[in-house]
Amino acid sequence: MTELLENQDETPEKPVLKILYQDEYLVAVDKPSGLFVHRSYMDKDEIYFALQLVRDQIGQYVYPLHRLDRPTSGVLLFGLSDEVARLMGQAFTNKTIQKTYYALTRGHLLGEGLVDYPLKEKLDKIGDKYVDPNKEAQEAQTYFESLDIATLNETVGKYDSVRYSVVKLKPVTGRRHQIRRHLAHLRHPIIGDINYGDNKQNPFFNQYFGFKRLMLHAKTLNFTHPITQKPIEIQADFDQQWQNVFERLSLNIAELSD
């Protein structure tokens, strides 16, 4: 019992993030699911943050250029100076940076299209306490393309099979939880989404595949370098959990990664 209590008090080993791209102006890492980008009022029990980890790994201050929700994995980009951060901020505002995500969703979502569905801003009770709660819904667009579908002959609730889709997504706008909310709007919520997902499918997925997470991955970031003006593409591979899901559902990772 004493040994168990001692282990509970131990500080988790400091993660080392995979660097996907680095030059004298920018650095990009592969953020794992479950890691906050930076400190917030929600993180009182957290020890490590992506911003801190990247700073310590490369030995200099970094500027976060965009946001990935804690449960989302994939490409996370930082600037290495305030000037680069300013230029990249303009690029994000002007929508000249293209982000490509992959999601595993409930049900068989077929075809492709544009979800053009305005979203009311999601407010945090503490972080957004001074924001007008009556603010009108903001325009929000997300392109989606269904890449493949799969079926498990397992009974969940009133259904005698479990259906999944792998969906490629390119957000045009950048509203909070936009991809998650747009897929829920299509009635194909992302697996593992505790805010907008399926409270029967999520527990089944956790038990069947042996892990619990949001199945949303920021796969690719394309942009023009703010200094060199060269086209840059940064990719984060699917991690082992994603690969295990693809294998068990007999989906071809190579084809889905194109």
Side-chain angles (χ1 to χ4, degrees):
M1 178 64 72
T2 301
E3 182 180 349
L4 178 61
L5 293 175
E6 288 176 351
N7 289 340
Q8 288 178 341
D9 292 335
E10 288 180 0
T11 300
E13 184 177 352
K14 188 174 184 178
V16 176
L17 300 182
K18 180 180 180 181
I19 294 179
L20 302 171
Y21 176 89
Q22 184 177 6
D23 61 22
E24 60 185 300
Y25 308 105
L26 299 164
V27 61
V29 298
D30 187 354
K31 187 189 86 66
S33 175
L35 181 67
F36 279 104
V37 173
H38 50 67
R39 291 187 181 276
S40 73
Y41 75 92
M42 299 171 59
D43 64 15
K44 61 181 180 179
D45 296 322
E46 297 299 317
I47 299 175
Y48 301 118
F49 306 86
L51 188 150
Q52 164 214 2
L53 293 171
V54 176
R55 178 199 66 199
D56 293 349
Q57 281 182 224
I58 69 173
Q60 69 180 99
Y61 188 81
V62 297
Y63 298 77
L65 302 180
H66 62 118
R67 179 176 60 192
L68 281 185
D69 292 337
R70 178 188 183 185
T72 305
S73 60
V75 181
L76 181 62
L77 186 65
F78 295 89
L80 300 182
S81 71
D82 56 357
E83 175 62 12
V84 168
R86 183 186 66 81
L87 293 172
M88 290 298 289
Q90 291 177 349
F92 276 104
T93 300
N94 295 336
K95 303 177 183 177
T96 59
I97 297 177
Q98 185 176 83
K99 294 182 282 186
T100 303
Y101 292 77
Y102 285 71
L104 183 73
T105 71
R106 180 196 71 183
H108 285 173
L109 174 60
L110 304 175
E112 59 185 278
L114 173 68
V115 182
D116 188 355
Y117 180 70
L119 298 171
K120 287 277 289 183
E121 189 171 4
K122 300 292 288 186
L123 302 178
D124 296 321
K125 291 182 180 179
I126 299 177
D128 296 319
K129 63 182 178 180
Y130 299 115
V131 178
D132 180 6
N134 298 315
K135 186 176 180 180
E136 291 187 2
Q138 298 173 297
E139 65 170 349
Q141 298 92 28
T142 305
Y143 286 102
F144 73 91
E145 178 186 359
S146 179
L147 300 180
D148 209 345
I149 57 175
T151 302
L152 293 175
N153 293 319
E154 300 282 346
T155 300
V156 176
K158 63 181 181 179
Y159 300 100
D160 58 6
S161 65
V162 179
R163 297 181 174 186
Y164 296 115
S165 299
V166 178
V167 186
K168 185 177 182 179
L169 303 128
K170 295 184 177 183
V172 179
T173 52
R175 310 305 178 197
R176 184 180 295 181
H177 295 177
Q178 177 177 310
I179 290 176
R180 296 161 66 177
R181 296 170 71 186
H182 272 172
L183 284 170
H185 173 69
L186 293 178
R187 307 295 186 188
H188 293 279
I190 300 175
I191 296 299
D193 193 334
I194 62 174
N195 297 107
Y196 315 102
D198 188 313
N199 60 12
K200 290 187 176 63
Q201 291 288 346
N202 288 345
F204 169 81
F205 179 90
N206 300 343
Q207 181 178 19
Y208 188 87
F209 290 97
F211 62 87
K212 181 180 181 180
R213 68 179 283 185
L214 177 72
M215 293 301 290
L216 179 63
H217 182 60
K219 184 79 168 57
T220 309
L221 199 63
N222 293 86
F223 59 94
T224 299
H225 196 287
I227 305 300
T228 67
Q229 298 303 305
K230 293 181 178 179
I232 301 293
E233 178 174 283
I234 305 172
Q235 290 200 25
D237 293 335
F238 292 109
D239 61 33
Q240 191 59 54
Q241 290 179 337
W242 271 95
Q243 293 182 45
N244 290 345
V245 170
F246 287 149
E247 182 177 355
R248 294 193 70 178
L249 294 179
S250 299
L251 299 172
N252 189 311
I253 299 175
E255 291 180 0
L256 296 178
S257 300
D258 290 340

Short mmCIF file of all heavy atoms in Angstrom, two decimals, residues 55-82:
data_model
loop_
_atom_site.label_atom_id
_atom_site.label_comp_id
_atom_site.label_asym_id
_atom_site.label_seq_id
_atom_site.Cartn_x
_atom_site.Cartn_y
_atom_site.Cartn_z
N ARG A 55 9.38 25.30 -25.80
CA ARG A 55 10.36 26.29 -25.35
C ARG A 55 11.58 25.62 -24.74
O ARG A 55 12.72 25.96 -25.06
CB ARG A 55 9.71 27.22 -24.33
CG ARG A 55 10.63 28.29 -23.74
CD ARG A 55 10.05 28.83 -22.45
NE ARG A 55 10.02 27.77 -21.42
CZ ARG A 55 9.26 27.83 -20.33
NH1 ARG A 55 8.44 28.84 -20.13
NH2 ARG A 55 9.32 26.84 -19.44
N ASP A 56 11.33 24.66 -23.87
CA ASP A 56 12.45 23.98 -23.20
C ASP A 56 13.24 23.11 -24.17
O ASP A 56 14.47 23.00 -24.05
CB ASP A 56 11.92 23.12 -22.05
CG ASP A 56 11.35 23.97 -20.92
OD1 ASP A 56 11.54 25.20 -20.93
OD2 ASP A 56 10.70 23.39 -20.02
N GLN A 57 12.56 22.48 -25.15
CA GLN A 57 13.26 21.61 -26.09
C GLN A 57 14.20 22.37 -27.01
O GLN A 57 15.30 21.91 -27.31
CB GLN A 57 12.26 20.81 -26.93
CG GLN A 57 11.67 19.62 -26.20
CD GLN A 57 10.71 18.81 -27.03
OE1 GLN A 57 9.65 18.42 -26.58
NE2 GLN A 57 11.05 18.54 -28.29
N ILE A 58 13.77 23.56 -27.49
CA ILE A 58 14.61 24.29 -28.44
C ILE A 58 15.41 25.41 -27.78
O ILE A 58 16.25 26.04 -28.41
CB ILE A 58 13.78 24.86 -29.61
CG1 ILE A 58 12.85 25.99 -29.14
CG2 ILE A 58 12.98 23.74 -30.28
CD1 ILE A 58 12.14 26.69 -30.28
N GLY A 59 15.14 25.67 -26.50
CA GLY A 59 15.94 26.63 -25.75
C GLY A 59 15.66 28.08 -26.07
O GLY A 59 16.55 28.93 -25.93
N GLN A 60 14.45 28.41 -26.48
CA GLN A 60 14.10 29.81 -26.71
C GLN A 60 12.59 30.01 -26.59
O GLN A 60 11.82 29.06 -26.69
CB GLN A 60 14.60 30.30 -28.07
CG GLN A 60 13.90 29.71 -29.27
CD GLN A 60 14.44 30.25 -30.58
OE1 GLN A 60 15.26 29.61 -31.23
NE2 GLN A 60 14.00 31.44 -30.95
N TYR A 61 12.19 31.26 -26.41
CA TYR A 61 10.77 31.58 -26.25
C TYR A 61 10.05 31.32 -27.57
O TYR A 61 10.59 31.56 -28.66
CB TYR A 61 10.61 33.04 -25.84
CG TYR A 61 9.18 33.39 -25.48
CD1 TYR A 61 8.68 33.10 -24.21
CD2 TYR A 61 8.33 33.99 -26.41
CE1 TYR A 61 7.37 33.39 -23.87
CE2 TYR A 61 7.02 34.29 -26.09
CZ TYR A 61 6.54 33.99 -24.81
OH TYR A 61 5.25 34.27 -24.48
N VAL A 62 8.81 30.82 -27.48
CA VAL A 62 8.01 30.57 -28.67
C VAL A 62 6.66 31.26 -28.54
O VAL A 62 6.16 31.46 -27.43
CB VAL A 62 7.82 29.06 -28.92
CG1 VAL A 62 9.15 28.38 -29.19
CG2 VAL A 62 7.10 28.38 -27.76
N TYR A 63 6.09 31.61 -29.68
CA TYR A 63 4.80 32.31 -29.74
C TYR A 63 3.76 31.38 -30.37
O TYR A 63 3.90 30.99 -31.53
CB TYR A 63 4.93 33.58 -30.58
CG TYR A 63 5.90 34.61 -30.06
CD1 TYR A 63 7.28 34.44 -30.23
CD2 TYR A 63 5.45 35.75 -29.41
CE1 TYR A 63 8.18 35.38 -29.75
CE2 TYR A 63 6.34 36.71 -28.94
CZ TYR A 63 7.70 36.51 -29.10
OH TYR A 63 8.59 37.45 -28.63
N PRO A 64 2.70 31.02 -29.64
CA PRO A 64 1.66 30.18 -30.24
C PRO A 64 0.95 30.93 -31.35
O PRO A 64 0.55 32.09 -31.19
CB PRO A 64 0.73 29.88 -29.06
CG PRO A 64 0.96 30.99 -28.08
CD PRO A 64 2.39 31.40 -28.24
N LEU A 65 0.77 30.29 -32.50
CA LEU A 65 0.19 30.94 -33.67
C LEU A 65 -1.26 30.55 -33.92
O LEU A 65 -1.97 31.24 -34.64
CB LEU A 65 1.04 30.62 -34.92
CG LEU A 65 2.51 31.03 -34.83
CD1 LEU A 65 3.23 30.66 -36.12
CD2 LEU A 65 2.65 32.52 -34.55
N HIS A 66 -1.68 29.44 -33.36
CA HIS A 66 -3.07 28.99 -33.52
C HIS A 66 -3.39 28.07 -32.37
O HIS A 66 -2.53 27.77 -31.52
CB HIS A 66 -3.29 28.30 -34.87
CG HIS A 66 -2.48 27.06 -35.07
ND1 HIS A 66 -3.03 25.82 -35.26
CD2 HIS A 66 -1.14 26.87 -35.11
CE1 HIS A 66 -2.08 24.92 -35.41
NE2 HIS A 66 -0.91 25.54 -35.32
N ARG A 67 -4.62 27.60 -32.33
CA ARG A 67 -5.08 26.81 -31.20
C ARG A 67 -5.50 25.42 -31.66
O ARG A 67 -6.13 25.25 -32.69
CB ARG A 67 -6.27 27.52 -30.53
CG ARG A 67 -6.86 26.78 -29.33
CD ARG A 67 -7.96 27.62 -28.70
NE ARG A 67 -9.05 27.88 -29.64
CZ ARG A 67 -10.03 28.76 -29.44
NH1 ARG A 67 -10.03 29.48 -28.34
NH2 ARG A 67 -10.98 28.93 -30.33
N LEU A 68 -5.12 24.43 -30.86
CA LEU A 68 -5.68 23.09 -30.99
C LEU A 68 -6.31 22.75 -29.65
O LEU A 68 -5.66 22.89 -28.60
CB LEU A 68 -4.59 22.05 -31.30
CG LEU A 68 -4.07 21.92 -32.74
CD1 LEU A 68 -3.11 20.74 -32.82
CD2 LEU A 68 -5.20 21.75 -33.74
N ASP A 69 -7.56 22.31 -29.66
CA ASP A 69 -8.18 21.90 -28.42
C ASP A 69 -7.37 20.81 -27.75
O ASP A 69 -6.68 20.02 -28.42
CB ASP A 69 -9.60 21.36 -28.68
CG ASP A 69 -10.55 22.45 -29.14
OD1 ASP A 69 -10.27 23.63 -28.85
OD2 ASP A 69 -11.56 22.11 -29.79
N ARG A 70 -7.47 20.74 -26.44
CA ARG A 70 -6.71 19.74 -25.69
C ARG A 70 -6.86 18.33 -26.25
O ARG A 70 -5.87 17.61 -26.40
CB ARG A 70 -7.13 19.77 -24.22
CG ARG A 70 -6.43 18.74 -23.36
CD ARG A 70 -7.02 18.68 -21.97
NE ARG A 70 -6.30 17.75 -21.11
CZ ARG A 70 -6.67 17.44 -19.87
NH1 ARG A 70 -7.76 17.98 -19.35
NH2 ARG A 70 -5.95 16.60 -19.16
N PRO A 71 -8.07 17.86 -26.57
CA PRO A 71 -8.19 16.47 -27.03
C PRO A 71 -7.79 16.23 -28.48
O PRO A 71 -7.72 15.08 -28.93
CB PRO A 71 -9.68 16.16 -26.82
CG PRO A 71 -10.35 17.47 -26.93
CD PRO A 71 -9.39 18.47 -26.37
N THR A 72 -7.52 17.30 -29.24
CA THR A 72 -7.16 17.17 -30.65
C THR A 72 -5.66 16.97 -30.79
O THR A 72 -4.87 17.67 -30.17
CB THR A 72 -7.59 18.41 -31.45
OG1 THR A 72 -8.99 18.65 -31.26
CG2 THR A 72 -7.30 18.24 -32.93
N SER A 73 -5.26 16.02 -31.63
CA SER A 73 -3.85 15.76 -31.88
C SER A 73 -3.44 16.40 -33.20
O SER A 73 -4.28 16.77 -34.02
CB SER A 73 -3.57 14.26 -31.92
OG SER A 73 -4.34 13.65 -32.95
N GLY A 74 -2.10 16.49 -33.42
CA GLY A 74 -1.62 16.90 -34.73
C GLY A 74 -0.72 18.11 -34.76
O GLY A 74 -0.13 18.50 -33.75
N VAL A 75 -0.63 18.72 -35.95
CA VAL A 75 0.33 19.80 -36.21
C VAL A 75 0.00 21.04 -35.39
O VAL A 75 -1.11 21.58 -35.46
CB VAL A 75 0.33 20.19 -37.70
CG1 VAL A 75 1.35 21.31 -37.95
CG2 VAL A 75 0.65 18.98 -38.57
N LEU A 76 1.00 21.51 -34.64
CA LEU A 76 0.87 22.73 -33.84
C LEU A 76 2.07 23.61 -34.15
O LEU A 76 3.22 23.18 -34.00
CB LEU A 76 0.82 22.38 -32.35
CG LEU A 76 0.66 23.55 -31.38
CD1 LEU A 76 -0.67 24.28 -31.60
CD2 LEU A 76 0.75 23.07 -29.93
N LEU A 77 1.81 24.84 -34.59
CA LEU A 77 2.85 25.73 -35.10
C LEU A 77 3.11 26.89 -34.15
O LEU A 77 2.17 27.48 -33.60
CB LEU A 77 2.42 26.27 -36.47
CG LEU A 77 3.43 27.12 -37.25
CD1 LEU A 77 4.65 26.30 -37.66
CD2 LEU A 77 2.75 27.72 -38.49
N PHE A 78 4.39 27.21 -33.96
CA PHE A 78 4.81 28.34 -33.13
C PHE A 78 5.73 29.25 -33.92
O PHE A 78 6.49 28.80 -34.79
CB PHE A 78 5.58 27.86 -31.89
CG PHE A 78 4.77 27.04 -30.93
CD1 PHE A 78 4.68 25.66 -31.06
CD2 PHE A 78 4.09 27.64 -29.87
CE1 PHE A 78 3.94 24.90 -30.18
CE2 PHE A 78 3.35 26.89 -28.98
CZ PHE A 78 3.27 25.52 -29.13
N GLY A 79 5.68 30.56 -33.60
CA GLY A 79 6.64 31.50 -34.15
C GLY A 79 7.80 31.69 -33.19
O GLY A 79 7.66 31.47 -31.98
N LEU A 80 8.93 32.14 -33.72
CA LEU A 80 10.11 32.32 -32.88
C LEU A 80 10.45 33.80 -32.67
O LEU A 80 11.49 34.11 -32.09
CB LEU A 80 11.31 31.58 -33.50
CG LEU A 80 11.12 30.07 -33.65
CD1 LEU A 80 12.38 29.42 -34.21
CD2 LEU A 80 10.74 29.42 -32.33
N SER A 81 9.56 34.68 -33.11
CA SER A 81 9.72 36.11 -32.84
C SER A 81 8.36 36.76 -32.89
O SER A 81 7.42 36.22 -33.50
CB SER A 81 10.65 36.78 -33.86
OG SER A 81 10.02 36.87 -35.13
N ASP A 82 8.24 37.94 -32.28
CA ASP A 82 6.95 38.63 -32.30
C ASP A 82 6.60 39.10 -33.70
O ASP A 82 5.42 39.18 -34.06
CB ASP A 82 6.92 39.78 -31.29
CG ASP A 82 8.05 40.78 -31.50
OD1 ASP A 82 8.89 40.57 -32.40
OD2 ASP A 82 8.08 41.79 -30.76
#
